[in-house]
Amino acid sequence: MTGENQSTTVGELPNASPERTTLVPVAFTRLVWALCVASLGALAARLLGWWSATGTLGDVVAVDGLTLLLWVVVTFFSGIVHSYSRRYMAGDDGVARFFTRVFAFTLVVMVLVAANHAALFAVAWLAMGLVMADLIGHVRGWPQAQAAAALARRYFLASSGLLSLAVAVLWWQTGATTVAGIAASVGSLPASTVLLVSALLVLAAMIQSALLPFHAWLLASMTAPTPASALMHAGFVNAGGILLVRFAPVVTANPEVMLGIVVVGAVSALGGKLLKSVQPDVKRRLGCSTVGQMGFMIMQAGLGFFGAAITHLVLHGFYKAYKFLSSGSRVERTSPTAESNGDSLGAVGTVATILSAVAGGAVFVWLTGKGAGLDSGLLLALVVVLTTLHATRETISQTALPVVARAAVVPLVFLPAIAVYGMVYRAVEAVLAGLPVVAAPAPLTAGHGLVAAAFVLAYLAIETGVYRRSRRLYVTLLNASRPPSATVLNSTEDYNEY
């Protein structure tokens, strides 16, 4: 037997490089938490009315409610990642380089969300992508990591090129050099120019947020250290939503563009859910989940509810950061077993599920006012109802309690959760007050009806398990969720260091 004479050493990792004991991790961790406290204080001052937070600095940056909110979110997630990484990256030869990149990424994102000058916004967008690509390829001696970094870099350069072209056209047509100036001048632009620029902006957002069919870079990025993946999925992919919010006056000028955003968002939302169903790998399942969640975020922007998109961005960031940083506890080696669909809901469970979903939708409409009229808010409320329906059914069918007890407890859990979501949504809208566009619900069209029908059919297909019976669909989903072969580690022997 091979390796039977090898001894196992338990203890401290060999300190082969002075870089492993550098003070860089400590310094950057303390600094990023200081930035978080300062950002939280500024946001609290705005909410309490002590500071209007609308100042500008020579048209270069603008500090508004969105800026302060995202500063708090970004620095908080970054602080968690910094703190977590001090132990996770201990013993890594490139620990100082890793912390430098993570802190630089944090600063770049803070500049991006505050940028008012169009050129600064484009430069920050490019820098953000390049730093993240470097984090994906952190392990220098790992060919798969370098291939994944090169792939991500190509995608990010393409996204930056599209954004730069859009900004250049807007600059040339309006003469405005700032994001605020462009927003104020959109009304004077020809319809063809608005359509072109909107398409460029949407494509740039789709690539950065890893929407279908631009999701390959995200699934290949699992070569990044897990803390970098957490930062990526909790913050980086949200940049597409930030882009659409900042340039909302441009994309909302054309109803067809808004409907197109709804469609591409819905495709990724449903596609990400299906791609996740065929993934056995923990981190790649989370990646497919991110594809779906970013689809929801972009779809909310397309419906005209930019406050909902930012709310989704924040809450998804908390969820996905936790899931990635705790992914190690989910790894286990098991043998294939017959799949169990859980206990039957029965009549009581079915009634409780339906009533909980309807009540959840009603609570959302009551707290937010979205979905109370005949506009795109109805589609937003439908998504809330279907999400609640799926979550309650999963809980009732899998919780190890008697059916009657499950049916009684589930509404007590999910209705308060939806109420909290509604209150967070309203709070975010209050923080965003002052932006050119916070909510711009569109009249219902046949396109919205088709999207709603697609969601209902997809829900029925998933809940009944119909999609599991098609081998062709399984193979299609499996192929669509496989990153390029050069980025995949095929031999477990390559994991061995010694």
Side-chain angles (χ1 to χ4, degrees):
M1 294 176 62
T2 59
E4 62 180 353
N5 295 323
Q6 292 181 359
S7 61
T8 301
T9 302
V10 179
E12 187 178 2
L13 291 171
N15 189 16
S17 170
E19 190 179 20
R20 294 180 180 177
T21 58
T22 180
L23 294 177
V24 170
V26 177
F28 281 146
T29 301
R30 292 177 178 175
L31 185 55
V32 77
W33 279 117
L35 290 174
C36 182
V37 171
S39 300
L40 188 60
L43 180 60
R46 174 183 171 82
L47 294 177
L48 294 174
W50 298 343
W51 179 36
S52 63
T54 56
T56 61
L57 180 60
D59 291 334
V60 177
V61 299
V63 180
D64 53 20
L66 177 61
T67 300
L68 294 176
L69 175 62
L70 294 180
W71 276 358
V72 171
V73 172
V74 168
T75 54
F76 178 78
F77 290 151
S78 181
I80 294 294
V81 168
H82 275 77
S83 298
Y84 183 94
S85 300
R86 287 180 59 185
R87 182 174 182 85
Y88 185 93
M89 298 299 293
D92 190 288
D93 281 330
V95 62
R97 172 166 47 84
F98 176 84
F99 275 88
T100 301
R101 299 297 188 277
V102 171
F103 186 74
F105 177 82
T106 305
L107 293 182
V108 169
V109 175
M110 292 182 71
V111 171
L112 175 75
V113 298
N116 188 36
H117 198 286
L120 179 61
F121 190 95
V123 169
W125 186 274
L126 173 62
M128 178 178 63
L130 294 179
V131 174
M132 182 52 66
D134 194 69
L135 284 170
I136 293 172
H138 171 73
V139 183
R140 295 294 191 253
W142 189 2
Q144 288 82 3
Q146 298 311 305
L151 176 68
R153 194 173 292 111
R154 289 194 295 271
Y155 273 90
F156 301 155
L157 288 174
S159 176
S160 296
L162 292 168
L163 174 60
S164 298
L165 182 57
V167 167
V169 172
L170 289 170
W171 196 339
W172 176 47
Q173 290 288 322
T174 65
T177 60
T178 64
V179 175
I182 290 171
S185 305
V186 170
S188 62
L189 294 175
S192 58
T193 301
V194 172
L195 182 61
L196 171 63
V197 171
S198 298
L200 294 173
L201 293 173
V202 171
L203 284 172
M206 290 176 64
I207 293 174
Q208 209 81 354
S209 292
L211 267 62
L212 296 174
F214 306 112
H215 64 294
W217 73 263
L218 185 68
L219 300 185
S221 69
M222 302 308 162
T223 58
T226 295
S229 293
L231 190 63
M232 181 195 314
H233 289 256
F236 179 80
V237 293
N238 293 320
I242 297 171
L243 174 63
L244 294 182
V245 172
R246 283 300 187 197
F247 288 89
V250 178
V251 297
T252 56
N254 191 318
E256 286 74 20
V257 170
M258 293 294 284
L259 181 57
I261 296 174
V262 172
V263 172
V264 299
V267 168
S268 281
L270 299 176
K273 173 67 176 176
L274 292 174
L275 292 177
K276 179 184 175 183
S277 67
V278 301
Q279 285 296 326
D281 179 83
V282 174
K283 287 181 68 174
R284 197 159 288 136
R285 281 176 63 86
L286 292 175
C288 292
S289 170
T290 296
V291 173
Q293 292 299 323
M294 291 302 97
F296 276 119
M297 180 188 68
I298 296 296
M299 189 180 77
Q300 289 169 336
L303 292 173
F305 301 108
F306 296 96
I310 296 298
T311 304
H312 191 97
L313 176 158
V314 173
L315 296 180
H316 172 260
F318 279 100
Y319 170 76
K320 201 52 64 76
Y322 165 75
K323 295 297 285 186
F324 264 98
L325 295 181
S326 63
S327 61
S329 62
R330 297 289 306 278
V331 177
E332 59 178 337
R333 188 164 190 165
T334 60
S335 300
T337 58
E339 185 176 359
S340 173
N341 292 325
D343 298 332
S344 174
L345 292 181
V348 175
T350 301
V351 171
T353 299
I354 295 174
L355 291 180
S356 296
V358 173
V363 169
F364 173 78
V365 173
W366 174 58
L367 286 175
T368 65
K370 308 301 185 292
L374 295 177
D375 55 29
S376 55
L378 280 176
L379 187 52
L380 185 61
L382 174 64
V383 171
V384 173
V385 170
L386 292 178
T387 301
T388 308
L389 197 62
H390 174 73
T392 53
R393 184 184 184 280
E394 287 289 309
T395 302
I396 290 178
S397 64
Q398 295 181 9
T399 304
L401 290 173
V403 174
V404 176
R406 284 179 270 172
V409 169
V410 164
L412 299 179
V413 174
F414 282 96
L415 294 185
I418 295 174
V420 170
Y421 170 73
M423 289 186 288
V424 172
Y425 184 2
R426 294 195 63 177
V428 169
E429 281 198 318
V431 171
L432 299 184
L435 293 183
V437 180
V438 177
L444 289 176
T445 64
H448 292 103
L450 290 175
V451 171
F455 268 92
V456 173
L457 291 175
Y459 171 80
L460 293 175
I462 291 172
E463 295 302 320
T464 59
V466 171
Y467 75 102
R468 300 177 187 272
R469 302 171 190 170
S470 171
R471 292 185 179 181
R472 184 183 297 275
L473 177 60
Y474 174 82
V475 173
T476 300
L477 293 174
L478 196 61
N479 289 335
S481 61
R482 287 183 62 84
S485 58
T487 67
V488 178
L489 189 63
N490 294 313
S491 174
T492 56
E493 296 298 323
D494 291 342
Y495 281 113
N496 297 331
E497 268 189 79
Y498 307 108

